[in-house]
Amino acid sequence: MRKLRHFLAEVFGVIRALFADDSAKSTMIVGILIYSVLYPQPYVGEVLRDVPVVVIDQDNSTASRTLVRAIDVTDLVDVTMSAPDMETARDAFYRRDVYGIFVIPAGFEADLLASRPAPVAAYSDGSYLLIYSNVMRAVATVAGTMGAQVNYARLTGLGVDDGVARTMLSPVAVTNVAVFNPQGGYASYVIPAAFVLILQQTLLMGIGLLHAGRKPPTGERLWATITAYFSLYMVWVAFTQMLIPYLYSIPRTGDLATLLLISVPFICACIAMGFAIAMAIPWREGVVFLLVVIGMPLFFLSGISWPVEMIPDHLRTLSLLVPSSTAISAFVAVDQMGASARDVAGAIQTQIVLVVVYSTLAVALSRLPRNRR
């Protein structure tokens, strides 16, 4: 019992040392709280809606006005102005008053009535893919629906049975179900994954700030240090992977036991990697510089912004040296998809291997004369 009390005193001593270091405290505690409050805010709306667009109606007919109303009714775009010509619309576009331009050419209704193709032009900013997708989907969906209505009226006018006409226009019925993300929202997609990377980077940076250039802890002090960091970040795992999704209504279906199975080796791998970096780089600024530089590449290699399957094999293999690369997909699979321990066994094994590799590396580096001073 006395040894346990002494060990716990060592653990609390490490926590007090963390709080006494302003840089480490700002990184490992304050930083995560700020991320938790600010990072999800831009994505609270989940889905991009009502992108402002301008319409140039050169036909000014019943059919063209019907098309404009149908476009405006969609939740994808919002027709905020009408322009007499392309020059006026272009000026509004470059001022960022609107993000898309719809052009209905003269003769639109006449072409529909004469069973000729009735083209409609749509312009949007291709450098902003979310906005571009909304604008193009709006015009494609509305134009397709209107075309189907015209063809349906034409077929039934020729005496074709109602059911036959509907089947001819839509021979294959497609039911679209957004599995694991029923809202199709961006927050549900990006926030749980991003917080795994945030936990890793803040833990690595905090360990570097506290231990780079200093004599590494040994014996009971070392285990107390590891226990303190592990306990603190297991709290952060629960906070970011359970409480934050609850507060922002992000779907979560995984069970706690499986979450712990991936969390424990992930945090241990990050701690081992943090000590290896702290032993390899003997000054705090160097650790911060390294982690800031590699932060963005790790984000792109994680599979959040680009599918992992599309990343070149050599980069994908190199990214396996970082715990977050396999942990992110495992966390998402458990939390959002209800994956079992067997489903994420590969990621768990990878984390365990990283614990062994980085622990061995940290011990070897700590024995260098520079790190023993």
Side-chain angles (χ1 to χ4, degrees), residues 202-227:
T202 55
L203 179 53
L204 295 179
M205 194 173 295
I207 293 175
L209 290 170
L210 289 167
H211 297 281
R214 300 179 182 179
K215 183 179 179 180
T218 57
E220 188 178 41
R221 181 69 176 182
L222 173 61
W223 288 109
T225 302
I226 294 173
T227 301

Side-chain angles (χ1 to χ4, degrees), residues 8 13 29 39 43 47 51 73 77-78 83 134 139 142 238 252 285 290 311:
L8 291 177
I29 297 175
Y39 186 79
Y43 313 116
V47 179
V51 175
V73 164
V77 298
D78 181 22
N134 267 38
V139 68
V142 172
R252 185 183 175 279
E285 294 80 4
L290 171 67
I311 297 175

Side-chain angles (χ1 to χ4, degrees), residues 262 320 326 330 340-353:
I262 185 61
L320 295 179
T326 50
S340 65
R342 179 177 297 179
D343 296 325
V344 295
I348 295 174
Q349 293 170 0
T350 301
Q351 302 300 316
I352 294 173
V353 171

Side-chain angles (χ1 to χ4, degrees), residues 14 18 23-24 26-29 31-32 35 195-211 225-234 236-237 263-278 287 291 323:
V14 174
L18 189 158
S23 299
S26 299
T27 300
M28 302 176 77
I29 297 175
I32 295 179
Y35 268 119
F195 268 115
V196 177
L197 184 59
I198 289 170
L199 291 179
Q200 172 188 276
Q201 295 301 94
T202 55
L203 179 53
L204 295 179
M205 194 173 295
I207 293 175
L209 290 170
L210 289 167
H211 297 281
T225 302
I226 294 173
T227 301
Y229 297 158
F230 177 81
S231 302
L232 174 62
Y233 269 78
M234 286 302 293
W236 287 136
V237 167
S263 301
V264 170
F266 168 66
I267 297 300
C268 290
C270 291
I271 293 173
M273 184 179 180
F275 275 103
I277 293 174
V287 173
L291 295 174

